[in-house]
Amino acid sequence: MEFHAWAPSMIQQNCDSTWYTVNRLGQSAYNPKTRAYVEYYATLDPHNPEVIQFMIDKYSALADIPEVDYVQFDYIRYADAILSEGLWEKYDGQIHHEWRDADGHVHEYPVADYCYCDDCCADFLEKTGIDIKAKIAEGVDPSTIKEWAQFRCDNVTNLVNKVVEAIHAKGKKVSADVFPGPKSHAVKMVRQEWNKWNVDMFLPMNYNDFYLKPASWLYEITKEEVESTDKPILSGLFICKEWKRKMELDDPEDSGLIPSEIGEAISGAMKAGAA
């Protein structure tokens, strides 16, 4: 057996107020009243050097535990700039934004679109020559600026690889819970370009009901994931606890695979190359 020491990453309470992400509306995730979706979404800024060092220290302490084989990342991302379709109705009262144009372009929720702190914007301007706040003032939708999306992906990748380097130096390995994809979902939704991460094992959260997909989707999405990296892919399934009452449950986060679907989900993932 392997011992994976699970710990949330960018969701942290009670840190320095300057460590938190700032959304497109200028609201800091330090303030519980302006956090996206749920109160515990207190997301740190992966671009902040102090946050990077905090993460190195936090996970190095786990790696120092002799029995730990893998340190396991979770929530190592930005908040959901785009929410999975299965959750749209649940959070409809909190999100006031049209997310899809007639031409199919998916917009990002301003309240959940991070990070627009002064340091991030200044560094992006220096690297690309693009003043992102000026673009917004001109009426440009920042979700159409590819360099801005890549900048946030690179911030997460840089954080991850620095923490991984510290853990590997201690002779331990790293696993990571990630969004599906990466190209189809993770990159666009939470800036996880995880095929560029130096971790040793990926556990994508392939929760088909969250994406309004059938159990057969597990083959399709796992195939994309396996082809994106040479690291082991363990396809994460979301299973309905109260499956006999599934049709009566209002909260989509109570959904998931029922017994008659689990075989298809598992065999699909395995046929696609899951480890």
Side-chain angles (χ1 to χ4, degrees):
M1 295 185 67
E2 293 173 342
F3 180 8
H4 292 241
W6 176 93
S9 303
M10 306 310 286
I11 303 283
Q12 298 289 334
Q13 307 284 341
N14 305 315
C15 292
D16 188 287
S17 62
T18 63
W19 288 12
Y20 290 87
T21 52
V22 175
N23 67 20
R24 198 193 308 173
L25 305 178
Q27 301 166 329
S28 172
Y30 178 72
N31 184 349
K33 295 182 179 179
T34 58
R35 290 172 188 160
Y37 310 117
V38 288
E39 192 171 308
Y40 70 81
Y41 256 38
T43 51
L44 299 182
D45 178 4
H47 178 267
N48 187 314
E50 293 180 328
V51 170
I52 295 173
Q53 189 59 51
F54 171 76
M55 288 296 163
I56 290 173
D57 294 343
K58 174 185 176 70
Y59 283 106
S60 292
L62 286 176
D64 282 335
I65 300 171
E67 294 82 2
V68 168
D69 299 304
Y70 282 76
V71 174
Q72 185 173 341
F73 297 153
D74 197 2
Y75 290 102
I76 196 144
R77 57 184 179 82
Y78 287 90
D80 315 48
I82 298 171
L83 201 62
S84 58
E85 292 187 38
L87 300 178
W88 283 357
E89 187 174 344
K90 177 177 180 177
Y91 294 102
D92 185 51
Q94 300 176 37
I95 303 298
H96 303 285
H97 187 60
E98 185 61 42
W99 49 77
R100 196 183 299 275
D101 281 342
D103 63 2
H105 174 69
V106 178
H107 291 272
E108 297 160 0
Y109 300 116
V111 70
D113 179 21
Y114 297 97
C115 176
Y116 290 80
C117 74
D118 291 342
D119 287 343
C120 283
C121 293
D123 190 26
F124 180 65
L125 175 61
E126 182 179 343
K127 288 178 175 177
T128 66
I130 300 172
D131 186 332
I132 194 65
K133 289 185 177 179
K135 290 290 186 182
I136 294 171
E138 294 167 5
V140 176
D141 181 349
S143 70
T144 64
I145 300 175
K146 294 180 179 179
E147 296 90 343
W148 182 229
Q150 188 63 52
F151 175 76
R152 269 86 58 84
C153 285
D154 292 344
N155 287 340
V156 177
T157 297
N158 177 63
L159 165 78
V160 168
N161 288 342
K162 285 184 175 179
V163 179
V164 169
E165 183 179 7
I167 296 168
H168 282 171
K170 294 178 176 292
K172 300 298 177 72
K173 295 183 178 181
V174 182
S175 55
D177 301 330
V178 292
F179 271 49
K183 295 296 183 184
S184 60
H185 296 85
V187 167
K188 294 181 285 189
M189 296 172 72
V190 293
R191 326 295 186 191
Q192 286 181 327
E193 196 173 15
W194 52 258
N195 54 306
K196 295 183 177 179
W197 298 1
N198 297 329
V199 309
D200 304 287
M201 178 186 294
F202 292 105
L203 299 95
M205 298 178 286
N206 294 334
Y207 304 162
N208 58 295
D209 274 358
F210 284 27
Y211 299 90
L212 304 181
K213 300 291 187 181
S216 58
W217 180 70
L218 268 295
Y219 172 80
E220 172 190 334
I221 194 65
T222 305
K223 187 173 186 291
E224 177 191 346
E225 292 158 355
V226 169
E227 291 176 351
S228 73
T229 179
D230 59 356
K231 306 296 174 55
I233 295 289
L234 278 69
S235 185
L237 309 181
F238 197 80
I239 296 174
C240 185
K241 181 180 179 181
E242 301 290 340
W243 60 272
K244 292 181 179 179
R245 299 178 49 246
K246 180 174 179 178
M247 300 308 295
E248 303 170 21
L249 303 175
D250 294 328
D251 190 337
E253 294 185 67
D254 289 330
S255 65
L257 296 163
I258 62 175
S260 60
E261 298 174 315
I262 292 174
E264 181 178 11
I266 293 175
S267 63
M270 298 302 289
K271 287 177 182 176

